[in-house]
Amino acid sequence: MILGVGIDLCDAGRMEKSITRQSFLDHVFAPEEQALLAALRDKHRAETAAANFAAKEAFLKAAGTGLGGFVMPELAVLRRESGAPYFALTGAAAAWAAEQNLTVHVSLSHERGLASAVVILETGTP
């Protein structure tokens, strides 16, 4: 059963400026995400950061918690070897997802300076 659906859009140009500040990176991205971003070239780095940020906000919308629901670094958006995105939840977010028996689905896209994310939270799945 679907618990929630969230969608968000983020401007990569705005993100490009924000990710130059370590305080912003630490506030928003988990260490694993920061390592992923550090390995990318400038334009792709900003697009990936924007997509990850959009995914975090989409997750919070799907969960119905709003921005105060969880600490952003607990909602790490990583990539499988294939490049497919997935959430690596930690802390309170991981505990909540386990309590709800959630499967988290995420899709990311970026085009012409905008990044988007869709998150579906599904309950009752293995």
Side-chain angles (χ1 to χ4, degrees):
M1 180 171 89
I2 293 178
L3 175 72
V5 177
I7 186 168
D8 197 67
L9 189 65
C10 184
D11 183 332
R14 230 177 105 211
M15 186 59 61
E16 188 172 18
K17 294 174 187 172
S18 297
I19 60 177
T20 62
R21 299 189 319 272
Q22 188 61 46
S23 61
F24 177 81
L25 290 170
D26 292 340
H27 180 72
V28 174
F29 299 108
E32 299 86 354
E33 289 175 294
Q34 290 185 41
L36 169 71
L37 295 174
L40 300 173
R41 294 184 179 198
D42 290 339
K43 180 182 177 195
H44 195 65
R45 183 176 186 234
E47 290 173 343
T48 300
N52 280 24
F53 188 85
K56 292 167 186 274
E57 293 218 340
F59 180 96
L60 295 171
K61 290 174 182 178
T65 63
L67 288 177
F70 302 106
V71 180
M72 288 278 210
E74 292 181 348
L75 309 173
V77 183
L78 304 176
R79 305 297 185 279
R80 299 193 190 289
E81 193 173 308
S82 66
Y86 69 96
F87 274 95
L89 303 176
T90 58
W96 178 78
E99 287 171 10
Q100 301 294 320
N101 191 26
L102 287 182
T103 299
V104 181
H105 305 277
V106 60
S107 181
L108 307 175
S109 185
H110 44 79
E111 177 76 27
R112 297 182 189 185
L114 293 175
S116 65
V118 174
V119 171
I120 299 171
L121 301 179
E122 185 179 11
T123 62
T125 56

